[in-house]
């Protein structure tokens, strides 16, 4: 069974302009994104990545790079807030914060990324900062008060828009 978010990550990696809407941080993540992210990380685990890659006719190394590319561009954009960095919407329950942190830190922990680059440490720091801020209810409340209101017109949480390619720019 193909995991939808993995297939999307591979398509986005191969043609990011076809899915440019994914990097629009003012849009909320789709409803059910937490489950999609959990399935995504499971399918890309060291125990399953070869099987996942075979299902999508891809190389496991390409799958791993596509996954990191997707997370870097869709979740970890500097323009995004800490909720986005952890793959959460602002109304996420407290228990989801730790779970998403654990899923994402595995992808960018310096022990798992090529040590000749500082990319893993850079993104791991961003994930850690988001977690440290949101894990404590009081710190989270202070952070929430400083967030701007969500942009009007971007309240779509139906996953269909997320998985559909963007309309071509004319």
């Amino acid at each position: 069974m193909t995991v939808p978010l993995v297939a999307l990550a591979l398509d986005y990696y191969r043609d990011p302009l076809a899915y440019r809407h994914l990097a629009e941080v003012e849009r909320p993540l789709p409803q059910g994104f937490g489950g999609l992210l959990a399935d995504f990380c499971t399918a890309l685990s060291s125990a399953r990545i070869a099987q996942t890659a075979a299902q999508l006719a891809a190389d496991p190394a390409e799958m791993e790079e596509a996954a990191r590319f997707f997370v870097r561009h869709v979740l970890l954009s500097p323009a995004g807030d800490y909720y986005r960095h952890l793959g959460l919407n602002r109304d996420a329950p407290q228990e989801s914060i730790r779970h998403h942190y654990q899923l994402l830190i595995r992808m960018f922990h310096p022990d798992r990324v090529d040590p000749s680059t500082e990319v893993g440490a850079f993104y791991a720091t961003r994930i850690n900062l988001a977690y440290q801020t949101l894990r404590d209810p009081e710190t989270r409340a202070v952070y929430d008060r400083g967030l701007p209101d969500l942009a009007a017109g971007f309240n779509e949480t139906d996953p269909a828009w997320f998985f559909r390619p963007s309309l071509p720019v004319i």
Side-chain angles (χ1 to χ4, degrees), residues 46-114:
S46 57
R48 295 196 178 156
I49 193 166
Q51 177 186 3
T52 302
Q55 289 173 346
L56 294 169
D59 179 70
E62 181 186 26
M63 291 298 317
E64 193 169 353
E65 183 54 35
R68 284 196 180 100
F69 180 84
F70 177 84
V71 172
R72 282 193 316 260
H73 290 265
V74 176
L75 302 181
L76 296 173
S77 166
D81 61 34
Y82 290 162
Y83 290 100
R84 183 73 173 222
H85 292 175
L86 293 178
L88 300 165
N89 284 316
R90 291 182 187 179
D91 61 352
Q94 198 67 33
E95 61 271 5
S96 295
I97 293 169
R98 182 169 191 228
H99 180 66
H100 281 230
Y101 166 76
Q102 291 171 335
L103 291 172
L104 293 170
I105 198 65
R106 288 183 196 126
M107 293 180 79
F108 293 98
H109 194 278
D111 292 343
R112 297 211 31 169
V113 180
D114 181 0

Side-chain angles (χ1 to χ4, degrees), residues 151-169:
F154 288 120
N155 56 8
E156 179 64 63
T157 59
D158 178 9
W161 74 266
F162 194 75
F163 287 92
R164 206 174 15 244
S166 301
L167 296 174
V169 178

